[in-house]
Amino acid sequence: LEKLEKSYFRLTSAPDPSTVRPQPVLQAALARMDTLKRNYWYDNDQMKAMRQDLTVQRIRSAFTVRVYEYHARLALRAADWGEFNQCQTVLGTLYDEGLPGASHEFLAYRILYSTFNGSTSLQMLAVLAKLNAEVMQDPAVQHALE
């Protein structure tokens, strides 16, 4: 039985392969997050460790998107803007690569975040450039633009 829980630690060298959880274990760990509500800081630590395991294995898939979306929503609920921004930045790249996910929802969050944190006009234009007719019809995006 693989270990589902793992604390995050900043890597300063190549990771020990025996400590990196493969995707099936990460999937079980993510499923477990919904059943074991602890506190934000514990959950944040677990999510950062999951993200790190995905990164060191170069896993970029629909599952990667699910992990980042879950973590971003967790950070939003806790008003942890730094962690949210890290997640939404990676999500933007994953969506641009064509991976499926809640891209409209997170575009709406990005619009709101850009407004909230006082982004420059150029940064806001980059966000708004992602809008097309389909995206504009999404209720979350419409709400963010109001």
Side-chain angles (χ1 to χ4, degrees):
L1 177 67
E2 297 265 359
K3 187 174 178 186
L4 296 181
E5 294 184 28
K6 174 183 169 183
S7 288
Y8 170 78
F9 61 93
R10 186 173 305 276
L11 293 175
T12 56
S13 60
D16 176 356
S18 70
T19 66
V20 178
R21 297 166 294 177
Q23 184 169 330
V25 174
L26 293 172
Q27 288 170 317
L30 182 61
R32 190 166 185 256
M33 290 295 293
D34 280 330
T35 64
L36 297 175
K37 295 293 182 195
R38 294 199 175 99
N39 66 63
Y40 172 71
W41 301 110
Y42 175 83
D43 291 347
N44 181 57
D45 180 67
Q46 292 300 300
M47 294 307 300
K48 286 175 77 159
M50 275 189 241
R51 288 172 31 203
Q52 185 175 62
D53 284 351
L54 288 167
T55 300
V56 299
Q57 295 175 82
R58 294 183 175 85
I59 298 173
R60 294 177 80 78
S61 65
F63 176 69
T64 308
V65 172
R66 282 186 32 226
V67 168
Y68 276 88
E69 287 175 347
Y70 186 98
H71 195 184
R73 290 182 187 111
L74 190 71
L76 268 178
R77 286 192 296 274
D80 185 345
W81 308 120
E83 204 64 56
F84 168 75
N85 191 44
Q86 286 181 31
C87 291
Q88 64 116 10
T89 299
V90 173
L91 282 168
T93 302
L94 294 171
Y95 297 143
D96 287 347
E97 291 173 8
L99 292 170
S103 60
H104 294 171
E105 173 189 352
F106 280 90
L107 179 57
Y109 292 149
R110 179 170 263 184
I111 292 167
L112 293 170
Y113 178 80
S114 296
T115 302
F116 165 74
N117 84 352
S119 294
T120 66
S121 297
L122 188 57
Q123 290 167 323
M124 185 56 97
L125 282 173
V127 172
L128 295 177
K130 297 189 180 281
L131 301 178
N132 60 37
E134 176 195 347
V135 174
M136 290 290 291
Q137 297 305 311
D138 187 272
V141 173
Q142 287 178 355
H143 177 72
L145 291 170
E146 290 177 350

